Structure formats: structure tokens, C-alpha cells
Amino acid sequence: MTGFPHASKTATIIGAGMVGLATAWFLQERGYQVTVLDKTGPAAGSSWGNAGWLTPAKILPLADTSLWTYGPTALFNPDAALSVPPRFEPALWGFFAQFMAHATPRAWDRTMAGLVPLAQSCLDAFDEIDATIPVALQSRPTPFVAAFEKKAEAHGFLKEIDGVRRHGIPAELSEITNVDDYAPMLSDRISLAYRLDGQRFIEPGPYVIALAEAIENRGAQLRWGINVTRVRPASSANHAPTVLCESGEEIISEQVVIANGAWLPGLAREHGVRLPVKAGRGYSFSVATDTPAEHPVYLPYHRVACTPYQGRFRIAGTMEFRGPDEPLHPRRIEAIIRNTKPLMRGIDFNERYDEWVGSRPVTPDGLSLVGRTRTEGVFVAGGHGMWGIALGPATGKALAKLMETGVAPPEIAPCYPLR
């Protein structure tokens, strides 16, 4: 059994993705002695292979009214961006029904209002963390390119931009006259493109690994290969929560944060967190381009996000509702290629690197789960869906304040885990 009997403030973080590590970083800012546990290592889950977008103007509810026309069709289209396996799985279909129930204008506005406080603070939180990250890996401001084959395809994207502006999020949008100046890998089939300013991106895997190193350099204990089986509440014998490990080890600290992504329900349910979290799995791979990619590219109609990544071009997409530990399905990679290949040039799609699937934690109402549970000293941080990278630092900063002061900042008030 291990603990910190001489430290005034101790915390154990379960999960070494962006959310867990950012929480650890901001707890260190408040003088905590921090231990981070993960069954694999930093950025091993959905923090590794995503697009790395830090885009307040694109932090949106996943469920919108278009799902009522797109969703049913997608269920029977193996190439659709949205994928739900055609098998008998009552819990998954029950979740999907709740998810679809939020695809209304009123629910969209309600969820968007809940996302705004974290979205508005996300870039400032990155500024704080960037100070301890190598310059080459820090968040980078750059124009984002949104491209369309046909003008009619832009309707949904422009509606989303209007929606975020209506909720107070700046979205600097202008039409691009020469697409080659920003995205030379796009083919002549692209007839319309917009430039979205005021956003940033990172290379997520290297950034999160660098964040882990920064936390360790500041005195944290980082322990990999630790499979946590339970967080036991405080008792008369131990006056603090205890993290139980598969190995039999018990780790005691004053506070515990469950931040293990799509696996969160397995540990958090005992502590009163009942809202379901399902794995909305995303896929990505990277390719070389004849002309080096400098700016992120978004193909909204096909729901594909592309980002410069270590000298190549990362192409990411799909929302596949399956178990978080199921293997990669090559057909989903092939579907992304079929949808994007005609819109690109100067790319050999047969030479792919870093094929990946990651389990993004999705809630049915589109809001995260951040805050205290019904168990004293036990907190959760997760359920960010596609936005764990972008919202991770802002989440960690707000949660660290709650853990020290007992007062929930307004940024996470809509994310109350016991709702």
C-alpha cells in the first residue's frame, strides 16, 4: 500500500490522455503532489490519433437536426461517417435513441449553451500549458480551410457557424478565391472554400507525451501498466479514497480523478455517475503530399478533418459506435478513402502511415462529465466526445479549482456528473 502521509494535498489521476494530464498539470499549479496511472501510457487512447484541432468555432453538439435525415440512411450505408453496428445490443441502441432525442433545435441550443463556457476558455488554458511544452510542439494558430465540391453542400457548415456566433463564439470566416494558396492537395472538384481564422491546432500524440514529461519533471509520479479495477470510498480504516489495482496494490490519496475516457463508466458508476458514456470511435491515418501541407483542411460534407502531422497529412473521420476495445475495422479506413480521394490530388492513398482507431467518450446529451461524484474525494473528468483535446486543459484548470476550493467554476457547471 502506498500513500503520501507527509503531503498536505495529494491526488491520483486515472488516465493519461489530454484530460487527465491537464488536470494533473493544473493541480500541480495549486501545490498538489500528483500520481498519474494508466494501463498503457500517455496518449495511448483517443488523445493520440485525432486531428488535434483547437477550434472554439467548431466545438458543437454532436446531435443536430440533420441526423433525422442523415442518421437512418447512414445505418444502411457502410461508407457513411456515422456507423452503428447492425447487431442486437440493447444498451447501445438505448444510448443511440437518447442521442437522437437531442437532435432537435431546442436541444442543440441547450447543449451549445453548456459547451460555450469551456470553449471560450480553451485557448487561454493552452497558453498556460504551452509555457512548459517544447516550442516546436506548442499550439499553432493557422487558417483552417473548409472545402466543398458543390455550393449546396456548404449549407450545414454555414448554419453551424451562424449557431456558434449566436452563442457568442467568434468565427472569422471568409471565402477563399484561390484554394491552391492554402490547400494545394485539394483537387479541381472543389468549387467553394472558406478560411476560418482565430483557431489553432497541435500534433496531439507528441504534445500529450511532452505534457506527461513536463508533469513528471515538476515532480509527479507517472506509472504505466497499472490496470485500475475500483476506486474504494473512504472508510474508518482509511480516511481517503483508495485506488485498487489489478495487481493487488492499493494507492491512497486525498482525492481521486477518474479520467479514463470511454472506460469511465466502469469506475464511476459506483460513485453515482449514471449517465451512459459510449465509445464514438474515430479513425485516422497519415499520407505524404506532393506539396507539404501547412493548414488544416475540413471536408464538412464528408465529416473528414485533416491536419499537418510530422511532415505528412493526417486524415481523420467517422463516428463509429462500437465497444472501446474492439479492433480496428479496415472498412472504415477504406470508407474515408473512398469519400476523400476524388477531392484530393498528389497523394498516394496506398502508402498510409499510422492507421489508428480511438475510442472517444460520448454522452447522449453532448455535454461532458466534469466534477464531484457522490463519494467524498472522488471526481470525474470525461465525456468530451470529439473535443477532449481542445477542452482538456480548460477542463483540468476548472476541475483543479473545484478540487482545491470546493466551488465549481462556471465553466464546468453544465457538466455536473450526477445530472
Side-chain angles (χ1 to χ4, degrees):
M1 182 179 295
T2 59
F4 300 96
H6 304 297
S8 59
K9 295 184 290 187
T10 60
T12 298
I13 314 296
I14 304 168
M18 175 64 91
V19 175
L21 291 173
T23 301
W25 194 93
F26 281 103
L27 284 171
Q28 288 180 317
E29 291 289 282
R30 292 178 174 272
Y32 276 72
Q33 173 62 48
V34 178
T35 297
V36 180
L37 310 176
D38 195 276
K39 61 182 178 181
T40 305
S46 58
S47 288
W48 187 83
N50 65 82
W53 288 15
L54 315 181
T55 49
K58 288 301 296 170
I59 295 175
L60 304 162
L62 291 178
D64 61 45
T65 55
S66 69
L67 282 179
W68 289 107
T69 53
Y70 175 80
T73 303
L75 297 180
F76 301 100
N77 179 3
D79 288 350
L82 176 65
S83 174
V84 182
R87 62 192 184 197
F88 183 70
E89 193 171 332
L92 177 58
W93 286 101
F95 170 88
F96 194 62
Q98 293 181 59
F99 184 78
M100 290 294 294
H102 287 85
T104 67
R106 180 177 296 181
W108 192 95
D109 276 320
R110 185 169 58 247
T111 302
M112 187 67 216
L115 291 170
V116 164
L118 275 177
Q120 288 177 326
S121 60
C122 74
L123 297 184
D124 288 343
F126 265 96
D127 285 340
E128 294 186 57
I129 288 179
D130 274 354
T132 56
I133 300 296
V135 172
L137 296 176
Q138 292 177 6
S139 60
R140 285 174 264 176
T142 184
F144 279 63
V145 178
F148 306 89
E149 187 175 3
K150 303 172 184 177
K151 185 176 181 179
E153 295 174 352
H155 173 75
F157 171 75
L158 296 176
K159 181 181 177 182
E160 290 175 349
I161 293 295
D162 287 342
V164 299
R165 286 172 173 164
R166 179 162 42 85
H167 281 271
I169 300 290
E172 306 166 32
L173 194 67
S174 57
E175 190 169 338
I176 294 173
T177 55
N178 187 356
V179 177
D180 281 354
D181 290 343
Y182 295 92
M185 76 291 298
L186 293 177
S187 75
D188 293 338
R189 292 179 63 165
I190 296 297
S191 66
L192 176 65
Y194 293 95
R195 168 179 170 152
L196 180 63
D197 288 302
Q199 320 298 306
R200 303 185 203 172
F201 78 97
I202 59 172
E203 295 182 354
Y207 188 100
V208 175
I209 291 170
L211 176 57
E213 293 172 352
I215 291 166
E216 187 171 37
N217 290 339
R218 288 165 24 134
Q221 294 187 41
L222 306 185
R223 300 185 56 194
W224 314 140
I226 305 296
N227 188 25
V228 175
T229 57
R230 185 189 174 203
V231 178
R232 188 172 63 205
S235 64
S236 57
N238 294 317
H239 300 287
T242 303
V243 175
L244 306 183
C245 305
E246 190 176 55
S247 64
E249 182 182 10
E250 299 183 0
I251 302 170
I252 302 172
S253 61
E254 293 175 336
Q255 295 171 311
V256 174
V257 179
I258 302 170
N260 58 339
W263 296 266
L264 184 147
L267 297 177
R269 191 176 295 112
E270 176 184 356
H271 305 286
V273 181
R274 301 297 183 185
L275 198 69
V277 176
K278 293 296 181 184
R281 304 189 335 154
Y283 284 75
S284 73
F285 56 90
S286 61
V287 291
T289 56
D290 283 354
T291 303
E294 296 183 7
H295 308 298
V297 173
Y298 183 34
L299 302 174
Y301 188 74
H302 298 289
R303 293 172 169 82
V304 171
C306 310
T307 314
Y309 180 76
Q310 297 189 322
R312 297 191 290 271
F313 201 45
R314 171 170 282 175
I315 300 177
T318 82
M319 176 64 71
E320 177 191 53
F321 286 102
R322 288 184 180 268
D325 294 310
E326 292 190 42
L328 179 148
H329 287 252
R331 186 167 188 168
R332 302 306 299 159
I333 297 284
E334 294 163 5
I336 295 174
I337 294 170
R338 277 192 291 272
N339 284 324
T340 58
K341 189 174 182 179
L343 305 180
M344 296 188 179
R345 63 186 176 191
I347 294 174
D348 182 0
F349 281 91
N350 292 320
E351 189 172 352
R352 300 187 296 276
Y353 303 84
D354 307 320
E355 289 191 352
W356 170 88
V357 61
S359 296
R360 300 168 298 196
V362 178
T363 61
D365 65 2
L367 293 172
S368 308
L369 299 168
V370 185
R372 56 167 58 90
T373 69
R374 71 181 183 192
T375 301
E376 183 69 25
V378 178
F379 300 80
V380 297
H384 291 81
M386 297 168 61
W387 308 115
I389 286 289
L391 297 181
T395 295
K397 183 176 181 178
L399 183 58
K401 183 176 182 179
L402 167 63
M403 292 170 67
E404 184 184 33
T405 68
V407 179
E411 295 92 324
I412 57 173
C415 305
Y416 183 54
L418 304 183
R419 64 183 183 273

